[in-house]
Amino acid sequence: MTTFAFVFPGQGAQSVGMLDAWGDHPAVLATLKEASDALNEDVGELIRQGPKEALALTTNTQPVMLVAAVAAYRAWRHEGGAQPAVVAGHSLGEYSALVASGVLTLAQAAPLVRFRAAAMQEAVPVGVGAMAAILGMPAAQVIAGCAEAQATFPFESKEVVEAVNFNDAAQTVIAGSKAAVDKACEVLKANGAKRAMLLSVSAPFHSSLMKPAADKLALKLADTVFGAGQIPLINNIDVTAETDAQRIRDALYRQAFGPVRWVECVQAIKARGILNVVECGPGKVLAGMTKRIDAEMTGWAVYDTASLNEVKGQMA
């Protein structure tokens, strides 16, 4: 079988009924039951019925995206799909990758990501922070533009805007306080960005404003027992594959308020001689990014039975 990597999406691809296309697949049903037991609520009902506004709440979005991604991975393995050579996850998706690799069980990960989500929302109330996607501008110029925008505020104002998601060569996401993000969008468009698009999110994820949330998460991680991973996992914050439990904890802690270095993660996958990247879970965003990051690489997506069979055929 062709050597390939599996990657897992973060927030943004959730939708009501996103697991319906799997029907009554036993691996998907078992995953929903395990997560529901761990969270003491019917996760399947939340995904099937929503409403959309409920799924959009960070405290729900993070667990349901974890569950949807793990369900797709388990369906792949149940149907005879081979084990990937390496895994990675974008932002929240790193927790799905940890489950796939065997470092965490789903029963551990589901409550952990819900705790993470609640801590993030508490750290910055809705409306105080913001995120925006900057398109058509190299990352270095986005970083410089953020510094330019932040410098327009008095130091004591504590306004902050930072580059937080390096998604591909022409797409970088910024985050921080609402006023500073708005100013940065203005500056970056004036400096040549094709678009500066505010994102519909409830908190400035991966910015330094998430440090209080990360400190709470660190206490939770300290009590979490990590297993020995069966598959190398390239993390977001350092773009390294850690095996030591304490180093994994530290990377997850820093990831909460540090940037997602996705371009480098994909490059690290290629450096292992892997050219096929399979996105596992709702949507095809990471599959598209793969091709834009490196034209020699191919991005696939597994999100229902039909796509699973197609990808399995291609990887054979």
Side-chain angles (χ1 to χ4, degrees):
M1 179 169 272
T2 303
T3 303
F4 61 94
F6 258 32
V7 296
F8 299 86
Q11 290 183 229
Q14 70 277 356
S15 63
V16 176
M18 62 185 172
L19 293 181
D20 290 355
W22 289 107
D24 293 328
H25 195 289
V28 175
L29 295 180
T31 300
L32 286 169
K33 183 180 187 309
E34 185 179 346
S36 296
D37 290 345
L39 293 171
N40 197 30
E41 69 173 91
D42 191 337
V43 177
E45 183 70 11
L46 175 62
I47 294 173
R48 282 191 301 273
Q49 301 296 331
K52 179 181 178 181
E53 293 74 19
L55 281 187
L57 294 172
T58 296
T59 50
N60 287 332
T61 305
Q62 295 198 20
V64 300
M65 282 301 297
L66 168 77
V67 170
V70 171
Y73 180 74
R74 289 180 172 178
W76 167 268
R77 296 292 281 151
H78 184 274
E79 296 301 324
Q83 181 171 289
V86 65
V87 294
H90 188 284
S91 184
L92 164 71
E94 191 162 301
Y95 287 82
S96 304
L98 286 163
V99 175
S101 71
V103 173
L104 291 176
T105 65
L106 180 60
Q108 288 177 305
L112 185 60
V113 299
R114 172 154 282 173
F115 179 89
R116 176 181 184 264
M120 286 177 163
Q121 198 59 78
E122 289 167 8
V124 182
V126 175
V128 174
M131 299 182 77
I134 310 303
L135 308 180
M137 176 175 275
Q141 287 181 243
V142 174
I143 293 169
C146 286
E148 182 182 339
Q150 190 166 321
T152 65
F153 296 94
F155 177 76
E156 61 272 16
S157 73
K158 297 184 180 178
E159 299 288 349
V160 61
V161 58
E162 300 155 346
V164 297
N165 290 359
F166 298 96
N167 288 336
D168 63 41
Q171 183 191 128
T172 302
V173 174
I174 64 174
S177 56
K178 181 68 166 61
V181 170
D182 286 344
K183 182 63 177 178
C185 288
E186 177 187 319
V187 168
L188 291 164
K189 283 191 285 188
N191 290 353
K194 288 183 179 178
R195 291 187 70 187
M197 182 172 57
L198 286 172
L199 301 179
S200 179
V201 294
S202 58
F205 302 116
H206 298 290
S207 74
S208 57
L209 296 178
M210 291 288 102
K211 179 68 162 53
D215 291 341
K216 291 180 182 179
L217 179 63
L219 299 176
K220 199 77 169 176
L221 289 168
D223 293 332
T224 303
V225 178
F226 289 83
Q230 304 303 305
I231 308 170
L233 186 158
I234 297 170
N235 67 31
N236 288 179
I237 194 71
D238 298 317
V239 196
T240 57
E242 302 290 358
T243 56
D244 176 75
Q246 190 49 45
R247 291 177 71 88
I248 294 171
R249 288 189 185 93
D250 181 60
L252 290 172
Y253 160 70
R254 289 182 290 116
Q255 188 234 40
F257 64 99
V260 174
R261 298 163 60 185
W262 194 248
V263 171
E264 293 171 88
C265 287
V266 173
Q267 291 169 340
I269 290 171
K270 185 183 182 184
R272 290 172 175 255
I274 300 167
L275 298 180
N276 290 284
V277 175
V278 181
E279 179 173 2
C280 195
K284 306 176 185 178
V285 172
L286 300 183
M289 285 182 190
T290 298
K291 300 172 187 177
R292 293 195 298 273
I293 290 169
D294 192 318
E296 292 183 357
M297 301 179 75
T298 302
W300 305 89
V302 170
Y303 49 86
D304 59 14
T305 304
S307 59
L308 186 156
N309 289 331
E310 179 188 0
V311 174
K312 194 168 70 162
Q314 293 291 338
M315 298 296 117

